[in-house]
Amino acid sequence: MEFRNLKKQYQTLKSEIDEAVGRVLCRADFVSGKEVGELEHALSEFTGVRHCITCANGTDALVLALRAWNVGRGDAVFVPDFTFFSSAEAPALCGATPVFTDIGTDTFNMSPASLERVIQAVISEGKLVPKVVLAVDLFGQPADYDAIGRIARRYGLLLLEDGAQGFGGKRGEKRACSFGDIATTSFFPAKPLGCYGDGGALFTDHDGWAALLRSLCVHGKGMDKYENIRIGTNSRLDTLQAAVLLVKLKQFAETELEAVNAVAQAYRESLLEIEEVRVPCLEEHSYSSWAQFSVLLGDQVDRGELQEYLKDAGIPTMVYYPKPLHEQAAFAGCVLYDEMCGAGYCCGHVLSLPCSPYMDRQEVDLVCDTIAQFMKKRR
Ligand SMILES: *Cc1c(COP(=O)(O)O)cnc(C)c1O
């Protein structure tokens, strides 16, 4: 069994993808070819956001957004303690200070209550200037933007949505990547919408920021690329990747989102019977793109043993994430402004199971049955 079945996806889309790639190879416009613009238009339609700017990867997307807002030394960027490293790496790379907030163990997303405590503590300490709330749509579910948005507005902070794992998710009828003042995503192969290498995108309704981001992506270009009006960088999506993504986006919207939700639903129903396993919670009116299907194991369960047992049955699993960000060596000495109980708990108990739109019911049953067997043997 594959953790995320990308080979089956390619087999399903092979003729269309091969043709799309072939067209680019024949034209040889490998950078800034016409598919890049077409993809940006399609992504903007899909998310309902006015501007989409593609770039080289999801980490660059975060850095570009922060640079567009002039975030740097002395600024605080509020980041959940339980997420992929990039979410905190990007503000640090800009010279700003990532300030960690705790998460809720039901959704794995930023806790609005912790966010507010942390903002107040930073304000009363008076050393850093609060600038940005960087919320993450972890494992596919959008963060609680009603509460987080209110807090950001109350304290005059910009909201940056890290939708690297959230693309395709929704709150009500609003799509992930439409909640932030700027939102970002990643097209790393294993993300909900992945390409065949690295890729990323930014989304915003703000005309000025969109223009600035377009310039920053291409060496700070002005009216044309040989006029440079600011220091930017080289961060573009390849035409080949855009061509692949145009094929994949169609499939994503038409079948994959629904299929992966059916897989998650099957998991939730079967795992409900196993008391040592807590299935992920969806908030009301929330729709996940299931970047990961992550469960929380009971205190008595030895996670390593369960992983070994599943591995022997041919079932790969992953621990996303084994360490809270504040414990990463790169952030040694960081100041904590709240207790990170939720993040600590999730790191110790979380386990991500194989999940993709191409997983069939028998595979889901095999995973659930094998977990049930393990628990029974152990009791
Ligand atoms: C993958 C990921 C990123 C970074 O994306 P890359 O394209 O790999 O640079 C950022 N944030 C989160 C939450 C991610 O999962």
Side-chain angles (χ1 to χ4, degrees):
M1 194 183 302
E2 308 256 340
F3 188 71
R4 191 158 185 97
N5 207 335
L6 295 175
K7 291 175 192 153
K8 195 152 163 204
Q9 185 195 42
Y10 177 58
Q11 287 314 317
T12 307
L13 299 173
K14 186 172 188 322
S15 61
E16 278 177 86
I17 287 181
D18 290 358
E19 264 173 50
V21 167
R23 281 194 295 271
V24 179
L25 297 183
C26 289
R27 289 199 322 263
D29 50 355
F30 298 112
V31 175
S32 309
K34 76 174 170 67
E35 283 84 353
V36 177
E38 287 172 16
L39 177 69
E40 289 177 343
H41 183 76
L43 289 169
S44 149
E45 292 252 289
F46 181 81
T47 54
V49 181
R50 190 131 83 146
H51 303 281
C52 169
I53 302 102
T54 53
C55 66
N57 57 68
T59 307
D60 273 8
L62 291 169
V63 171
L64 287 159
L66 294 168
R67 286 195 55 192
W69 288 338
N70 256 318
V71 174
R73 186 165 292 279
D75 294 335
V77 176
F78 302 96
V79 185
D81 194 29
F82 184 74
T83 168
F84 181 62
F85 187 66
S86 283
S87 313
E89 180 182 34
L93 197 58
C94 295
T97 303
V99 176
F100 298 111
T101 79
D102 201 11
I103 57 150
T105 57
D106 284 341
T107 61
F108 300 107
N109 279 329
M110 179 182 264
S111 150
S114 176
L115 171 66
E116 186 148 29
R117 283 195 295 275
V118 168
I119 294 172
Q120 287 176 347
V122 166
I123 291 173
S124 57
E125 188 193 41
K127 282 189 185 156
L128 296 167
V129 181
K131 272 280 172 70
V132 176
V133 177
L134 198 166
V136 180
D137 303 335
L138 205 72
F139 301 152
Q141 178 170 204
D144 181 357
Y145 290 108
D146 299 318
I148 292 171
R150 264 195 307 274
I151 295 170
R153 280 190 299 276
R154 187 175 310 144
Y155 294 93
L157 308 178
L158 290 158
L159 177 58
L160 177 55
E161 174 186 2
D162 180 350
Q165 300 185 16
F167 190 83
K170 286 192 281 191
R171 279 176 75 80
E173 287 312 301
K174 217 167 140 50
R175 287 270 182 209
C177 295
S178 74
F179 296 102
D181 294 307
I182 299 180
T184 64
T185 196
S186 162
F187 304 123
F188 181 81
K191 307 282 171 166
L193 177 65
C195 61
Y196 289 152
D198 281 307
L202 295 125
F203 299 85
T204 184
D205 282 327
H206 190 293
D207 299 341
W209 293 334
L212 187 51
L213 290 167
R214 284 206 182 280
S215 165
L216 287 171
C217 284
V218 187
H219 308 292
K221 70 174 178 181
M223 292 308 279
D224 73 71
K225 74 172 175 175
Y226 297 109
E227 186 201 12
N228 308 94
I229 56 176
R230 58 178 64 84
I231 300 298
T233 186
N234 175 8
S235 187
R236 291 177 292 225
L237 184 73
D238 294 343
T239 313
L240 277 170
Q241 302 300 350
V244 168
L245 282 166
L246 275 168
V247 176
K248 287 219 208 176
L249 175 61
K250 189 162 167 287
Q251 184 78 356
F252 183 75
E254 285 174 4
T255 74
E256 289 181 354
L257 261 177
E258 229 171 278
V260 79
N261 270 277
V263 167
Q265 189 53 31
Y267 261 135
R268 284 151 65 86
E269 282 163 17
S270 306
L271 291 172
L272 226 47
E273 293 160 20
I274 310 177
E275 61 178 287
E276 297 92 336
V277 174
R278 205 166 118 195
V279 296
C281 241
L282 285 183
E283 280 189 85
E284 220 185 316
H285 308 304
S286 177
Y287 183 80
S288 177
S289 57
W290 299 106
Q292 301 294 342
F293 190 88
S294 302
V295 299
L296 289 171
L297 302 172
D299 284 330
Q300 327 76 1
V301 182
D302 183 321
R303 181 170 61 190
E305 254 178 46
L306 172 59
Q307 285 192 281
E308 275 304 306
Y309 190 82
L310 288 165
K311 190 174 160 210
D312 289 343
I315 300 166
T317 56
M318 302 291 281
V319 175
Y320 296 123
Y321 296 90
K323 256 189 205 183
L325 289 181
H326 77 266
E327 281 180 18
Q328 291 286 357
F331 295 121
C334 69
V335 179
L336 292 182
Y337 295 86
D338 192 18
E339 306 238 20
M340 301 292 134
C341 307
Y345 183 86
C346 288
C347 290
H349 295 77
V350 75
L351 185 66
S352 300
L353 305 177
C355 183
S356 88
Y358 296 89
M359 206 172 164
D360 58 37
R361 183 71 208 219
Q362 286 93 304
E363 290 177 303
V364 175
D365 288 344
L366 178 66
V367 176
C368 298
D369 292 347
T370 312
I371 296 174
Q373 262 169 32
F374 174 84
M375 299 299 175
K376 209 177 206 169
K377 260 190 34 187
R378 199 193 46 83
R379 273 188 211 121

